[in-house]
Amino acid sequence: MNTAIKTLNISKSYPGVQANSNVSVQIQESTIHAIVGENGAGKSTLMKILYGMTKPDEGEIEIFDQNASMSSPKDAINFGIGMVHQHFMLAKNLTVLENVILGIDRPSFKNLGLKKYKKLIEEVMSLYSLDIDLDMFVEELSVGEKQRVEIIKVLFRGAKILILDEPTAVLVPQEVKELFNNLNNLKQNGVTIIFISHKLDEVIEIADDISVMRGGKLIDTVKNENVSKTEVAEMMIGKSLPIPPPRSTETKQNKILDLKNITSKTVDGRKFFTDVSFNVFGSEILGIAGVEGNGQKEVIESIIGIDNIESGEIYFNGEKINDKTTRERLDSGISFIPEDRQLQAMIMDMNLTNNVIIGRQNIKKYKSKFATVKTKNAINESENIISLFDVKTPGTNTLATALSGGNQQKFVVGRELEDDPSLLIASQPTRGIDIGAQALIWEKLRESRDNGLGVLLISADLEELIGLSDRIVVFYQGSLVTELSSDNVSPEDLGGYMTGLKK
Amino acid sequence: MIKNIYSFILKRYVVITPLLLVLIVAQREEYSQLTTSGTFGSAIRLAIPIMLAGLGGLFSEKTGVVNIGLEGMMIMGTWFGAWGGFTYGAWQGVFIGMLGGALFGFIHAIATVSFQVDHIVSGVAINILAAGVARFLNVISFEDIAYASSTASPRITGEIGKMTVPFLAGGPINDEETFNLFGNIENLDIFLISDFAGFILGFLSNISYLTIFALAIVPFSLFILWHTPIGLQMRSVGEYPTGSESLGVNVYLMKYIGVTISGALSGLAGAYLVIGGTGIYLEGQTGGRGFIGLASMLFGNYKPFGILMGSGLFGFADALQLRSPQAVHGLLIVISIFLFVLVLKTLFEKKYTQSLISLLFSGAFLIWFLNSTTIPNQFVYFTPHITTLIVLSFANQRIKLPEKIGVPYKKGELT
């Protein structure tokens, strides 16, 4: 059996992050090779390097025993590597046929020859047993069909190695089954498939070889038949134990947030979560664990009223808030730290003072009699946050975009804690920031917790989750599978529940 | 077969219903001007500049660049067309006018594509700049020439020929008149058939070569945009530039080409006004036709033949108000009945508010029609615009905009 791709000591670092360090992996021809790892483990960076989108700082790549140095996706295509992105690169208002042949011809004024291309593409489709109507507009296709178009697109360009980035994340179960059928067909016809995923069930079902990444390093490459799911999960999550923080205060008995059997709306034939019930007490941090895409995000959006739920009840401080608007919910004492600070938490082209007012413009502190904004109070408040949370900035007049990620995040956390909320929903509060900022945010969260705040913490960082939370609930496929006390839980246990191994 | 015809009528009812109504109303003596070959002939002449501007808009917007600078590019076309026509001759003037428009298209491309200026801001700037530049050029170029002023150029030299097709429309062969097939049919006054003959005759009789050239651009645009590799790439960058870039399409180049072609076609539209019409450049000559071209592009749902139809409608209304204010009165009942058809349609679709509004307007037009015999002159001038507005407001429901229109694209932002 030949080697399709061989990498030698690939390293890549971004400012502040070592995304890949000394990754050496061998991928055999005509196999399905899964690359698994948690978010931020370095899978995507490795794929970008293999697809020529970024250059490695160090290391070499060999493709079919040929030394390959690639500087653009075009080079990668010439080496026979094609990529199916998680977000499809398709133009909605063009037909399938047009999408497949786009960019193959030089931009000339001769006739496109749609008939000729149609025949050629149909040959490729029958060779690999893929089926789609070439004359449909992409807009009219289902998600699974769009993915098939992407696969046909790269195969038609002569790709012999397919990289699939989280291909199942957007699919419903039936479509996943169909995709796996297609992938097995491709494999039998000599195509090599690199399958990036963090869903262990699927990886175990489809892959021949599995490479596990963690913290930018390749932990190991194993044969699927020689390994159990638990072993892979352990490699993925690691074994280092967090240091549990001592806490001197006690959880109170008042339920701040109380969810009773809530079920999400049905979108595209599937529900994001079903029949979820849990509560958050005063002076408590409740952690939510779960692999991304298992419904946690949607539950949060339902609590703050961005999404409506189909059934169930949401109580906040004893009051039913199902029918309240997001504005009313936030004004009544819910604070929210969104997972993406640059898209959701701040407006990057506004200064810090304005970023303090956003969403609070109706609060008495910032609203004068004449419905103008009391800028002075906002300036005071942002100065306050800057000193309390140690935000490194020249002043309150600085644009948010000029701050580093850690300082932006500290400012956001400070803003959300300022008005003594009774519930804080913190989604990935320390993702992608430096250790100093992380420690400060942890400390502030604990401090507020001790003062009576109820916190709902969502984090992909299991050590953070175990270290901060008092209790942890685990989401798997839209349901709450278990509730654990953080005193006696290990990351492996959590990983087991998160990947559906334990029930 | 019958099913196909049925669905075709359903899809095109916005065009077909008024057309039928016009034909029926035209049977009345006082409204007979509605469907004569003369009316259609001038409708074509009036429609061409709008159609060209609309096609210009198409090339730009398909590549994702909003072009409200069409008007300004058209102004450049009028002046450069007149200057070229005066200095070198008529056909040369046409191409110099196109170059003038293309130059301003290119400026719009530099601003929106390379410097990511907001497309509306750049378009407005183009419109203001063009008006000033045209006057400036006119003053310095024709300072010492008789019959020119600061707002008007001297008459162009040379002429673009006209032709009448022999046998079908009675055009001469070797200076001898031939049989006029459609002309005779038109004079027979048979219901529908004569009206249709008048329509055909409008295209065949006394038609300028420049008009033929302009009309040929419609199928040509269709071919370029939908049947060539460059057209596919141009459309793809308006839809999903990131994806196109990843497939090796030169996104910037495609946008530059699209916007520059857009300028050239608008320039041609302007040159047509001068060389196919007045014979001189006049300030303010374009009179907002660039914007109406944009409207015809929306009406035509980004399709070349749709644009032809949309501009034809405007040209028709414009021709009517010029030739026969009396016939415009007949349009009132056409509008009233058309709105009533919409009432029925919306009732069927259970859109009661829209239905009620249509009913009110339908009634108002009916009352107006019954209580008058002519339309005040002030309103007559307004006909083309109000017609366009009414049709647009009912036709705009299914417009398929390019996905990433108006969104600046920065190279290399692959995710």
Side-chain angles (χ1 to χ4, degrees):
Chain A
M1 201 182 270
N2 292 326
T3 309
I5 296 184
K6 191 169 152 190
T7 72
L8 263 176
N9 295 325
I10 294 242
S11 292
K12 173 82 189 175
S13 64
Y14 293 107
V17 193
Q18 183 75 30
N20 276 175
S21 64
N22 291 324
V23 177
S24 300
V25 65
Q26 278 199 30
I27 293 163
Q28 304 298 330
E29 197 182 351
S30 300
T31 58
I32 298 180
H33 192 117
I35 295 186
V36 297
E38 272 288 4
N39 291 308
K43 296 170 296 184
S44 310
T45 308
L46 182 61
M47 287 314 111
K48 279 185 181 167
I49 290 169
L50 289 181
Y51 192 52
M53 286 160 86
T54 42
K55 277 196 139 187
D57 301 337
E58 282 167 48
E60 279 171 29
I61 305 169
E62 279 179 20
I63 297 167
F64 295 120
D65 300 322
Q66 240 187 311
N67 197 326
S69 92
M70 299 174 286
S71 54
S72 76
K74 228 178 174 177
D75 296 341
I77 293 170
N78 290 337
F79 276 106
I81 299 182
M83 177 131 171
V84 175
H85 297 266
Q86 192 179 355
H87 305 285
F88 304 133
M89 298 272 194
L90 297 172
K92 276 193 343 193
N93 290 331
L94 301 187
T95 63
V96 173
L97 181 60
E98 287 173 332
N99 267 291
V100 173
I101 64 171
L102 174 64
I104 287 183
D105 283 316
R106 296 175 47 76
S108 65
F109 289 96
K110 65 172 204 247
N111 201 319
L112 257 179
L114 288 173
K115 272 193 191 139
K116 178 192 78 191
Y117 274 124
K118 203 167 169 183
K119 229 179 126 203
L120 287 173
I121 296 168
E122 271 161 1
E123 276 168 24
V124 171
M125 278 166 37
S126 68
L127 175 63
Y128 295 115
S129 322
L130 297 162
D131 186 40
I132 198 130
D133 183 353
L134 290 173
D135 292 323
M136 295 247 280
F137 283 95
V138 167
E139 194 178 30
E140 302 161 4
L141 302 180
S142 73
V143 179
E145 288 171 323
K146 283 181 192 163
Q147 193 171 50
R148 216 172 309 147
V149 177
E150 286 281 31
I151 293 173
I152 293 169
K153 201 164 96 180
V154 289
L155 289 175
F156 188 61
R157 272 149 228 270
K160 289 283 160 216
I161 303 167
L162 273 186
I163 304 174
L164 296 146
D165 185 10
E166 306 276 357
T168 59
V170 285
L171 300 180
V172 296
Q174 297 89 316
E175 288 175 327
V176 171
K177 220 173 147 193
E178 216 178 324
L179 171 72
F180 284 0
N181 276 338
N182 289 333
L183 292 186
N184 278 323
N185 267 329
L186 291 177
K187 184 176 85 175
Q188 268 147 33
N189 281 293
V191 178
T192 310
I193 291 157
I194 305 174
F195 185 94
I196 307 168
S197 183
H198 54 219
K199 293 186 181 166
L200 280 186
D201 283 332
E202 291 170 355
V203 167
I204 296 286
E205 189 187 332
I206 185 89
D208 298 311
D209 300 309
I210 302 172
S211 289
V212 184
M213 290 191 77
R214 169 157 43 95
K217 293 194 180 80
L218 185 83
I219 303 302
D220 202 0
T221 300
V222 288
K223 284 238 165 287
N224 191 1
E225 59 249 40
N226 303 336
V227 79
S228 74
K229 207 163 144 190
T230 330
E231 286 168 315
V232 178
E234 269 177 24
M235 285 197 277
M236 207 167 127
I237 285 152
K239 283 183 176 173
S240 55
L241 278 169
I243 311 141
R247 91 168 271 194
S248 50
T249 53
E250 298 247 308
T251 300
K252 290 178 184 159
Q253 285 309 310
N254 60 324
K255 284 180 185 171
I256 293 203
L257 179 73
D258 192 4
L259 303 183
K260 288 188 175 159
N261 307 90
I262 62 169
T263 296
S264 77
K265 275 192 181 165
T266 312
V267 177
D268 294 336
R270 60 175 185 167
K271 290 185 160 60
F272 294 111
F273 55 88
T274 43
D275 209 15
V276 170
S277 304
F278 61 82
N279 44 46
V280 181
F281 293 100
S283 265
E284 183 194 41
I285 298 181
L286 177 72
I288 294 185
V291 176
E292 227 162 281
N294 278 283
Q296 316 91 301
K297 185 173 158 245
E298 286 78 13
V299 168
I300 295 164
E301 287 178 349
S302 303
I303 296 171
I304 58 172
I306 295 174
D307 281 346
N308 288 323
I309 51 173
E310 197 172 83
S311 62
E313 284 150 0
I314 304 173
Y315 290 92
F316 175 60
N317 278 334
E319 192 189 346
K320 192 173 166 185
I321 56 168
N322 276 29
D323 298 327
K324 292 200 167 173
T325 63
T326 303
R327 174 82 275 132
E328 286 163 347
R329 296 184 200 199
L330 296 184
D331 285 350
S332 66
I334 300 180
S335 268
F336 178 45
I337 301 171
E339 61 178 27
D340 192 326
R341 58 181 160 270
Q342 306 203 340
L343 276 182
Q344 295 166 287
M346 297 181 108
I347 296 181
M348 301 312 286
D349 291 334
M350 281 190 178
N351 65 24
L352 296 182
T353 312
N354 287 336
N355 268 301
V356 160
I357 305 170
I358 292 165
R360 289 171 173 68
Q361 62 275 22
N362 288 324
I363 292 177
K364 230 180 178 176
K365 194 155 92 184
Y366 299 132
K367 197 168 144 189
S368 77
K369 263 187 289 187
F370 308 105
T372 54
V373 175
K374 290 182 181 168
T375 318
K376 205 161 196 180
N377 286 348
I379 293 175
N380 289 341
E381 190 58 54
S382 42
E383 276 169 352
N384 211 4
I385 296 171
I386 288 167
S387 67
L388 273 176
F389 283 79
D390 190 27
V391 180
K392 291 186 183 62
T393 167
T396 59
N397 208 12
T398 310
L399 296 187
T401 181
L403 268 57
S404 75
N407 284 311
Q408 286 170 357
Q409 190 67 9
K410 283 193 278 188
F411 192 82
V412 170
V413 175
R415 179 184 74 189
E416 295 305 326
L417 287 175
E418 67 163 324
D419 284 319
D420 293 328
S422 38
L423 176 70
L424 173 71
I425 300 171
S427 187
Q428 317 290 358
T430 64
R431 174 182 277 182
I433 64 176
D434 56 288
I435 297 164
Q438 193 177 35
L440 185 123
I441 289 172
W442 284 352
E443 191 195 314
K444 292 288 178 190
L445 287 181
R446 286 200 189 104
E447 199 180 296
S448 309
R449 186 257 328 258
D450 291 344
N451 291 333
L453 179 73
V455 180
L456 191 56
L457 174 72
I458 299 91
S459 179
D461 179 348
L462 296 188
E463 300 180 6
E464 170 179 83
L465 206 59
I466 296 172
L468 273 180
S469 309
D470 299 304
R471 283 185 299 143
I472 297 173
V473 292
V474 184
F475 272 76
Y476 180 64
Q477 294 185 342
S479 302
L480 210 158
V481 285
T482 188
E483 185 190 313
L484 308 159
S485 160
S486 65
D487 296 335
N488 47 20
V489 69
S490 66
E492 295 91 89
D493 289 342
L494 264 189
Y497 286 112
M498 284 163 63
T499 47
L501 281 171
K502 287 189 179 178
K503 269 164 193 141
Chain B
M1 180 68 191
I2 290 169
K3 210 178 154 193
N4 281 346
I5 295 173
Y6 182 67
S7 77
F8 179 82
I9 291 175
L10 266 188
K11 267 193 210 154
R12 301 267 183 271
Y13 79 97
V14 184
V15 178
I16 291 169
T17 337
L19 214 67
L20 274 178
L21 292 171
V22 165
L23 286 176
I24 292 164
V25 172
Q27 303 313 310
R28 297 270 307 240
E29 186 58 39
E30 65 261 43
Y31 307 132
S32 59
Q33 275 291 327
L34 278 172
T35 57
T36 61
S37 57
T39 307
F40 285 125
S42 46
I44 293 166
R45 278 191 293 282
L46 291 163
I48 295 286
I50 292 158
M51 179 199 82
L52 289 170
L55 289 174
L58 177 73
F59 271 92
S60 173
E61 305 221 341
K62 272 288 174 195
T63 61
V65 179
V66 179
N67 192 353
I68 63 159
L70 290 173
E71 179 79 7
M73 296 168 198
M74 215 168 149
I75 292 175
M76 290 332 288
T78 56
W79 188 83
F80 275 100
W83 178 78
F86 172 72
T87 322
Y88 301 105
W91 278 108
Q92 289 88 333
V94 170
F95 290 103
I96 290 171
M98 282 177 86
L99 285 179
L103 174 72
F104 267 57
F106 191 68
I107 295 174
H108 189 52
I110 292 174
T112 54
V113 181
S114 294
F115 293 106
Q116 270 115 34
V117 175
D118 184 277
H119 299 182
I120 302 293
V121 172
S122 169
V124 170
I126 292 275
N127 286 339
I128 295 171
L129 183 70
V133 167
R135 172 177 271 224
F136 167 76
L137 289 173
N138 198 54
V139 170
I140 60 164
S141 304
F142 302 129
E143 215 175 359
D144 307 321
I145 291 168
Y147 306 115
S149 71
S150 62
T151 57
S153 75
R155 183 159 290 276
I156 59 164
T157 54
E159 205 176 317
I160 293 210
K162 286 182 179 181
M163 63 170 260
T164 302
V165 179
F167 300 111
L168 298 179
I173 293 182
N174 297 333
D175 290 334
E176 270 181 59
E177 213 154 288
T178 57
F179 182 64
N180 185 350
L181 175 68
F182 286 106
N184 284 327
I185 298 178
E186 191 187 9
N187 291 336
L188 288 176
D189 264 339
I190 312 167
F191 173 60
L192 285 188
I193 293 175
S194 290
D195 301 300
F196 190 64
F199 178 69
I200 302 273
L201 202 57
F203 280 95
L204 300 180
S205 169
N206 213 10
I207 190 159
S208 153
Y209 291 115
L210 187 54
T211 307
I212 296 170
F213 174 63
L215 284 172
I217 292 177
V218 180
F220 187 66
S221 306
L222 186 74
F223 176 74
I224 292 285
L225 279 173
W226 274 272
H227 294 282
T228 67
I230 195 170
L232 176 60
Q233 298 200 1
M234 282 164 75
R235 282 184 297 135
S236 78
V237 303
E239 297 291 342
Y240 194 21
T242 318
S244 310
E245 179 101 60
S246 79
L247 294 174
V249 174
N250 188 337
V251 175
Y252 281 12
L253 180 68
M254 288 305 128
K255 285 182 183 253
Y256 264 95
I257 292 175
V259 182
T260 308
I261 291 179
S262 170
L265 289 177
S266 313
L268 179 60
Y272 186 93
L273 284 178
V274 172
I275 294 159
T278 53
I280 59 168
Y281 157 80
L282 288 168
E283 197 169 284
Q285 189 171 21
T286 54
R289 283 182 179 81
F291 297 110
I292 296 168
L294 215 54
S296 80
M297 177 191 71
L298 294 173
F299 172 83
N301 202 2
Y302 292 91
K303 301 261 167 61
F305 280 96
I307 293 170
L308 177 64
M309 247 192 259
S311 51
L313 175 86
F314 186 89
F316 177 69
D318 209 4
L320 268 191
Q321 63 98 355
L322 283 174
R323 292 176 64 92
S324 166
Q326 174 64 38
V328 172
H329 185 245
L331 278 186
L332 289 180
I333 187 67
V334 170
I335 292 173
S336 172
I337 298 174
F338 174 61
L339 287 174
F340 192 73
V341 171
L342 281 177
V343 172
L344 297 179
K345 181 177 175 280
T346 42
L347 265 184
F348 186 68
E349 289 168 354
K350 297 199 169 67
K351 297 176 186 161
Y352 298 115
T353 342
Q354 288 182 24
S355 185
L356 187 70
I357 294 170
S358 303
L359 185 66
L360 283 176
F361 275 98
S362 171
F365 275 103
L366 185 67
I367 291 167
W368 188 6
F369 173 75
L370 293 174
N371 289 315
S372 62
T373 48
T374 54
I375 291 185
N377 264 336
Q378 298 86 328
F379 284 106
V380 171
Y381 296 134
F382 190 43
T383 319
H385 305 88
I386 191 82
T387 316
T388 313
L389 199 64
I390 288 175
V391 174
L392 251 188
S393 51
F394 290 106
N396 70 357
Q397 288 145 2
R398 292 169 295 107
I399 293 179
K400 245 185 171 176
L401 289 169
E403 176 92 359
K404 295 283 180 202
I405 191 158
V407 181
Y409 176 73
K410 269 190 195 144
K411 224 179 208 166
E413 278 189 353
L414 287 176
T415 41

